Amino acid sequence: MFHYVFLLTMTNPAPMHRHYQIVAEAIRYIEGHLTSQPKLAEIAAAVNLSEHHFQRVFREWAGVSPKQFLQYLTKERALVALKQQCSVEQTSLQLGLSSSSRLHDLLVTTEALTPGEVKAGGKGVTIEYGQADTVFGKATLAWCARGLCYLAFEQNLTTQHIQQQWPNAQLLGDNDMAQDWANRIFSEQPSSIKLLLKGSPFQLQIWQALLRIKPGDLVSYGHLAQLAGNAKASRAVGSAMASNSIAYLIPCHRVIRANGELGQYRWGVERKRLMQAWEACHQPVQ
């Protein structure tokens, strides 16, 4: 079993999923009209809100103004973050970075299925699932007695991917419990979350390395391969991340290309960008 501590800050997810949709729409509008540099009133009108209401909604979700938030979305900021991260001693990352701030500790423990359990396909296991509201939109979650085994940002509830991973398990729907899980994950109160992982030895190695990257930091695919102890496997890293079925908690969104470009993300490049910016602007001022 592996234990990692990393830092998060979360607000009440109940209204935040609605705010996320508004913010995402606003960012799309801003980026589509960069040459005209739209004013706040114009952006608010584009998302059908008054200027005052839009400013309040944006600040509640991001913690900063739209203008400040946009600074965290630039390629230049990503390159600076990469450079800073590469200057940090690798041993510090391996120990798990922490920060003295208003952020809280979320203890994540992981347990991997044995080859025999993988072969059984979940036979004799009850998997519960449901849809919940989160800071980053609607999410489908699944869990069993041993921990959380699935978290995906999906607008519509579906069990297709859960059934693919656990073909012989009994599935039970429970949206109320799914929201309880989401509230624990996206909460201001310290919590302990256990993850049940199903993957190849290489995939598990990459996912465990991802857990060493703290919120607000970005690493390249090559750097992640080094953290996983396999510097020559940078191309295979992307495939391992694409197979990750526990979004956000196993933070694939913190990995970008060495040139500062985002790269792919299973749950949408737009969400990846907003996650990175949201985490960056919630870090304490040094």
Side-chain angles (χ1 to χ4, degrees), residues 60-77:
E60 284 181 358
W61 185 84
V64 296
S65 70
K67 183 177 180 180
Q68 291 171 308
F69 189 78
L70 284 173
Q71 297 173 1
Y72 293 99
L73 291 173
T74 65
K75 182 177 178 179
E76 289 72 23
R77 191 207 72 84

Side-chain angles (χ1 to χ4, degrees), residues 5-173:
V5 175
F6 59 96
L7 300 171
L8 300 172
T9 181
M10 296 294 176
T11 50
N12 180 6
M16 289 298 107
H17 78 282
R18 295 188 293 272
H19 292 357
Y20 170 80
Q21 300 298 336
I22 293 171
V23 169
E25 185 178 352
I27 295 300
R28 284 195 296 270
Y29 180 83
I30 293 170
E31 294 189 326
H33 298 78
L34 282 178
T35 55
S36 63
Q37 296 185 338
K39 302 294 185 182
L40 183 63
E42 182 182 343
I43 302 169
V47 295
N48 299 312
L49 293 177
S50 69
E51 185 174 345
H52 174 74
H53 190 192
F54 172 69
Q55 181 88 315
R56 180 174 62 81
V57 165
F58 202 104
R59 279 190 174 276
E60 284 181 358
W61 185 84
V64 296
S65 70
K67 183 177 180 180
Q68 291 171 308
F69 189 78
L70 284 173
Q71 297 173 1
Y72 293 99
L73 291 173
T74 65
K75 182 177 178 179
E76 289 72 23
R77 191 207 72 84
L79 287 170
V80 169
L82 278 182
K83 184 177 180 180
Q84 290 175 340
Q85 188 57 37
C86 288
S87 69
V88 176
E89 290 185 359
Q90 186 168 322
T91 52
S92 296
L93 274 176
Q94 290 173 339
L95 291 174
L97 294 176
S98 61
S99 174
S100 57
S101 69
R102 59 188 174 85
L103 310 185
H104 79 266
D105 289 344
L106 176 63
L107 177 63
V108 175
T109 62
T110 69
E111 178 183 352
L113 293 180
T114 66
E117 289 174 323
V118 172
K119 186 177 181 179
K123 184 177 181 180
V125 177
T126 297
I127 302 291
E128 297 181 79
Y129 69 92
Q131 191 171 55
D133 297 325
T134 79
V135 177
F136 300 110
K138 293 280 188 180
T140 299
L141 299 92
W143 61 94
C144 65
R146 293 164 65 184
L148 187 75
C149 56
Y150 186 80
L151 196 170
F153 293 105
E154 301 169 335
Q155 188 62 30
N156 299 311
L157 177 62
T158 174
T159 62
Q160 178 183 354
H161 296 298
I162 302 171
Q163 289 175 320
Q164 288 175 350
Q165 289 192 343
W166 306 87
N168 299 321
Q170 179 185 15
L171 300 185
L172 297 176

Side-chain angles (χ1 to χ4, degrees), residues 218-231:
L218 301 176
V219 303
S220 67
Y221 291 87
H223 192 187
L224 179 61
Q226 292 177 12
L227 290 177
N230 196 339

